[in-house]
Amino acid sequence: MALPDHTVVCGSTGKRVLKDEVEQSSVTGQLVITSVLKTSVLSGKKAEPEYFAKCEFTGAEVLGNELAMSQVSGKRYRMDEQVQSAVSGKIGHRAEFVFCTETHQPLLPKEAEKCDVTGKTVIPGILIRCEVSGKMVLPSELEKSAVTGRKALKKFFVSSSISGARLLEEEAVRSANGKYCIPIEARLCNWSGRKCHPDDLRTCQLTGVAAHFEYMTSDGQTRLEPLLNLLSGTRRRTDRRELWQMMTDSISRVLGGRSMIEAAESSVSGDRLAICVETKNWLGLKTRQAGLLYSIRDSAITGRIVLGKREEKGWRLEKTL
């Protein structure tokens, strides 16, 4: 019971209630019984139930003017969780969007590109193509070759054991024990003509010429095996015989006496000859076998000439010229 001056009529129900039992609606401005009013979880404003609606993504009840229509799905959503695509500019609820892992910008799933390695989503224009596998990946997944500048996934790269430079494995020169170097660090094998990792090269103790270890003897001494076989008489090749006379004239000027090519074997590359020369002094009483490498392209002897004697157990070095 109260005096009339202390009562009001509820604008929503029409009931007479005490003044301290009502609050003003933020929508209509009417005084409404407090228990009838609903409160927006977004703004905290109170109003009659008919002015409320639910966010179709979160289920939260908010005032109708606090909802917006998604341009993506057509659903209504609470405006404080509104997001706009950085690609298309479309607006909608944040649940409809993904975020670029590189720039953190929002975009729709169908607008995003996915890294083929990490599976991370990004806005268009960030991914780079791996020049080896062709995969589209994040820039952080790639390395740049110090040799060619090509960009590829890190797994395709190796390090030079000489300089530490990073390059693609397919660009590198590989040693027999799995080390790598860049092409300009490689050295020429004078027998095969190919570039090799310096670790694989050996210097022939006879000629002083470097070649891959596979062409060297394995008896404790490092000597070019094709040449040693000719000197020992265990191998008698007559390669490039049409050049023998010319080479004999050149060799005789160095050796003196009377010289005659006994055998010659072409290198793997075909531009050099291992030559065994039978040489006699002017009286013809002393016969020796000389060995050398001859560059066909340069028409010149490569490295040292060795002179020795063929014996029952093989050829024995006497001196180097």
Side-chain angles (χ1 to χ4, degrees), residues 191 207 224 226-231 235 237 239-240 243-244 246-248 250-251 255 260-267 272-278 289-296 300-302 304-306 310 315:
W191 190 249
T207 63
L224 187 64
L227 178 61
L228 185 62
N229 289 340
L230 296 179
L231 290 168
R235 192 172 177 86
R237 296 284 295 270
D239 297 344
R240 301 303 300 270
L243 301 176
W244 284 20
M246 178 194 68
M247 293 187 294
T248 299
S250 177
I251 294 167
L255 293 177
M260 179 181 67
I261 295 178
E262 180 182 288
E265 181 172 344
S266 291
S267 65
R272 282 182 171 79
L273 284 171
I275 300 174
C276 175
V277 179
E278 182 183 83
Q289 286 76 36
L292 58 98
L293 286 181
Y294 189 88
S295 171
I296 298 172
I301 297 169
T302 301
R304 299 189 295 258
I305 299 175
V306 290
R310 187 178 291 160
W315 179 85

Side-chain angles (χ1 to χ4, degrees), residues 161-162 173 175 181-182 185-187 196-202:
S161 62
I162 298 172
V173 178
S175 74
C181 70
I182 62 178
E185 295 169 338
R187 297 292 178 264
C196 304
H197 192 287
D199 286 1
D200 287 347
L201 294 180
R202 303 290 184 271

Side-chain angles (χ1 to χ4, degrees), residues 20-32:
D20 60 1
E21 295 176 333
V22 296
E23 291 185 58
Q24 189 175 28
S25 167
S26 61
V27 176
T28 64
Q30 297 185 106
L31 295 175
V32 180

